[in-house]
Amino acid sequence: MTLRCEVTDTSSNWTFLWYKAVSYRHDLPSFTYRGKYYFPGLLPDSSRGAGGSFTLSLAAPHHNGLYVCRAEGGDPAYQTQFSDVVPLWVLALSRPASLVIRPNRSQHFTHNSLSLSCEVPDNSTGWTLRWRTKRREGPACPDGWESEAGSTCSTTSPVQEDSGEYWCGSESGDSNPVNITVTSGDVILESPAHPVTEGDPLTLCCLSRNNNSTFSADFYKDGSLLQSQTTGVMTIPAVSKAHQGLYKCRHPELGESPESPVMVFNLSPPASVVIRPNRSQHFTHNSLSLSCEVPDNSTEWTLRWRTKRREGPACPDGWESEAGSTCSTTSPVQEDSGEYWCGSESGGRSNPVNITVTSGDVILESPAHPVTEGDPLTLRCLSRNNNSTFSADFYRDGSLLPSQTTGEMTIPAVSKAHQGLYKCRHPELGESPESPVMVFRSDYPASPFSVFRLVCSVPVFSLTIMLVVQCFRSNSQSKVDDEEERTYEVSEA
């Protein structure tokens, strides 16, 4: 996942800082997002010079949150305002646990019973409910809630301050999070707390506090009236990506509900990138071909790409375009390293792959796509001279793995524990670049929810976000005063 920061003023040599919203801190300035106050916590090692980018090598659910950036430059040095806020929601396809909500919806009335529990497919222990609200966070049940057997927290009287993010956590990882809203109003929207799958039906209901039943109401998406309803129920027979957005309902007398997001995912991408040779690392000046494989043989798909300094909707410069949405070259260069995917005119997008082209003498032969848990995985160290294996050491996340007598390492049955950044090294020829190995579970657990509220998620292979900052100059004292007293008004990017 790459965050990119851009400054409209190019007169200075800028360095960049990235922040993630944290709980209340009296020593930090505040910013607002959707009418609420947040505080920017500086990300570790976030100053990356003039490049304007900050990369997390393997995105995970714990990276969820609100992100902003700012730039620093000039002599004497001064800082820009914060950029607009970008919310990130990272979902894992292979989820070891899921959060079950009763009643099963994202919005709830104050003083009405609410229960949250962790469902673990393999009945493993060690999972607890974790949460983060506006001013509190904790590893167990919130204050005033009761703890029950089986990692369950319940309350008969939730309050507005219980609104926030909830997930299941253990020493081995976190589940996908859900956002819960508790309101003191008279109307709520019954909508799925988890993402829904493209093609499934989706039903939204407007509920009143008095009898918790439906009634006549209007429905809105992203602030615009979707349609007036004769009842308080709205059904979408087959949900699509176009239906994603923030929904709410409104009754002319009782008022309107809070907004809740509806997220739609497609677990079977309509196209995929095929790489020849089939690996993520490649030597400069050795043949390379990328093409789009489409199950239904549709012709609207083309290869798309984004490298450090270029991007485009067709073949990169210097590559040849062939029939069947294929791009090839006999002489790739280092600048061809980057992200590649298949895109369609209708807005479809395949899962991306990351390609590294190196001028070095050693590469790691590793899968460009994720591998399935339980399958064998073989990594090979290849040299430029003869492209064959040789004796080498292998590393994961910078740590040396057990020594190999050949330039090949095999894992008979890969698991989530094998995920990480891999590279190989020859004592004379040098080392390869690093490449990620991602592992997904084949027995993706079935959802405990009804058909229009399936628990669905997709992997995030890479994500690029542009955060734009506005610049202003001030003397040192006024800058300090601003940071102590100013509330930065921002809008959603």
Side-chain angles (χ1 to χ4, degrees):
M1 180 178 68
T2 299
L3 306 180
R4 290 180 180 167
C5 207
E6 181 181 276
V7 185
T8 56
D9 180 1
T10 59
S11 61
S12 297
N13 293 322
W14 299 101
T15 58
F16 297 88
L17 302 170
W18 284 266
Y19 304 82
K20 181 182 177 184
V22 297
S23 301
Y24 172 75
R25 285 264 306 272
H26 72 277
D27 58 335
L28 293 178
S30 64
F31 62 88
T32 59
Y33 178 71
R34 295 195 177 277
K36 296 182 180 179
Y37 288 93
Y38 297 92
F39 304 88
L42 185 66
L43 292 173
D45 192 27
S46 71
S47 181
R48 298 294 178 90
S53 65
F54 174 65
T55 300
L56 300 170
S57 58
L58 291 173
H62 69 263
H63 292 126
N64 289 334
L66 302 177
Y67 288 80
V68 294
C69 73
R70 72 193 318 181
E72 186 176 85
D75 186 16
Y78 64 94
Q79 292 183 339
T80 67
Q81 293 179 346
F82 290 111
S83 69
D84 287 348
V85 180
V86 170
L88 293 186
W89 192 7
V90 182
L91 300 177
L93 178 62
S94 172
R95 52 185 183 89
S98 60
L99 184 64
V100 178
I101 310 164
R102 297 180 179 88
N104 181 23
R105 57 183 185 241
S106 59
Q107 295 184 14
H108 300 266
F109 291 117
T110 54
H111 310 298
N112 281 18
S113 295
L114 172 60
S115 171
L116 303 175
S117 59
C118 295
E119 181 176 272
V120 185
D122 58 5
N123 295 319
S124 61
T125 59
W127 291 89
T128 58
L129 181 70
R130 300 185 182 182
W131 47 276
R132 182 184 300 112
T133 60
K134 182 178 178 181
R135 296 188 180 276
R136 299 179 299 165
E137 59 183 282
C141 295
D143 297 339
W145 291 48
E146 293 184 1
S147 178
E148 303 176 12
S151 67
T152 296
C153 297
S154 63
T155 177
T156 58
S157 187
V159 294
Q160 287 180 276
E161 288 73 15
D162 289 322
S163 299
E165 185 181 56
Y166 292 80
W167 69 96
C168 299
S170 74
E171 294 182 357
S172 61
D174 295 331
S175 73
N176 290 326
V178 296
N179 283 282
I180 299 295
T181 300
V182 180
T183 178
S184 60
D186 293 321
V187 180
I188 61 172
L189 177 70
E190 185 180 67
S191 63
H194 297 276
V196 293
T197 303
E198 191 170 31
D200 283 349
L202 170 66
T203 298
L204 304 175
C205 299
C206 215
L207 305 181
S208 69
R209 176 183 291 272
N210 294 338
N211 54 15
N212 210 34
S213 61
T214 60
F215 50 84
S216 179
D218 294 329
F219 288 83
Y220 295 78
K221 174 176 172 283
D222 297 328
S224 299
L225 180 64
L226 198 60
Q227 64 184 94
S228 296
Q229 297 288 324
T230 55
T231 68
V233 177
M234 186 184 75
T235 299
I236 301 172
V239 73
S240 70
K241 295 286 283 187
H243 294 116
Q244 284 193 148
L246 289 171
Y247 286 78
K248 66 179 179 181
C249 64
R250 179 180 178 83
H251 186 275
E253 298 175 0
L254 297 177
E256 68 181 27
S257 71
E259 286 184 317
S260 280
V262 169
M263 299 188 69
V264 181
F265 292 137
N266 182 353
L267 295 178
S268 56
S272 59
V273 179
V274 177
I275 310 166
R276 297 180 179 88
N278 184 24
R279 58 183 185 239
S280 59
Q281 296 184 15
H282 301 266
F283 290 116
T284 53
H285 311 299
N286 281 16
S287 295
L288 172 61
S289 171
L290 301 173
S291 59
C292 294
E293 184 177 83
V294 186
D296 59 4
N297 295 319
S298 61
T299 59
E300 65 169 338
W301 294 86
T302 58
L303 183 70
R304 302 186 182 184
W305 47 275
R306 182 184 299 110
T307 61
K308 183 177 181 180
R309 298 186 182 278
R310 301 178 298 167
E311 62 182 278
C315 296
D317 297 339
W319 292 47
E320 293 184 2
S321 178
E322 304 175 12
S325 66
T326 296
C327 297
S328 64
T329 177
T330 58
S331 188
V333 294
Q334 287 180 277
E335 289 73 16
D336 290 321
S337 300
E339 183 183 61
Y340 292 79
W341 70 94
C342 298
S344 70
E345 295 178 358
S346 60
R349 177 186 169 104
S350 73
N351 291 326
V353 295
N354 284 282
I355 299 295
T356 300
V357 181
T358 178
S359 60
D361 294 321
V362 180
I363 61 172
L364 177 71
E365 185 179 75
S366 63
H369 296 277
V371 292
T372 303
E373 190 173 36
D375 286 350
L377 171 65
T378 298
L379 304 176
R380 296 182 178 89
C381 217
L382 306 181
S383 69
R384 177 183 290 272
N385 294 339
N386 56 15
N387 210 35
S388 60
T389 59
F390 50 86
S391 180
D393 293 325
F394 289 83
Y395 296 79
R396 187 183 76 222
D397 297 330
S399 298
L400 178 66
L401 296 172
S403 299
Q404 305 292 320
T405 56
T406 67
E408 183 175 294
M409 185 184 78
T410 298
I411 302 173
V414 73
S415 70
K416 294 285 286 185
H418 295 116
Q419 283 194 150
L421 288 171
Y422 286 78
K423 66 179 179 181
C424 63
R425 180 179 176 84
H426 186 276
E428 297 175 0
L429 298 176
E431 68 180 28
S432 72
E434 286 185 316
S435 281
V437 169
M438 299 188 69
V439 182
F440 292 146
R441 290 176 56 182
S442 59
D443 59 337
Y444 182 69
S447 166
F449 305 110
S450 60
V451 67
F452 60 89
R453 292 178 188 157
L454 288 174
V455 178
C456 309
S457 53
V458 295
V460 176
F461 299 98
S462 61
L463 179 62
T464 300
I465 299 152
M466 185 66 74
L467 305 172
V468 181
V469 300
Q470 296 179 338
C471 309
F472 69 96
R473 295 180 182 269
S474 63
N475 60 43
S476 298
Q477 184 58 47
S478 64
K479 185 185 74 166
V480 171
D481 293 340
D482 282 346
E483 293 201 348
E484 289 179 348
E485 300 176 4
R486 180 186 297 271
T487 297
Y488 294 93
E489 293 296 334
V490 296
S491 59
E492 181 179 3

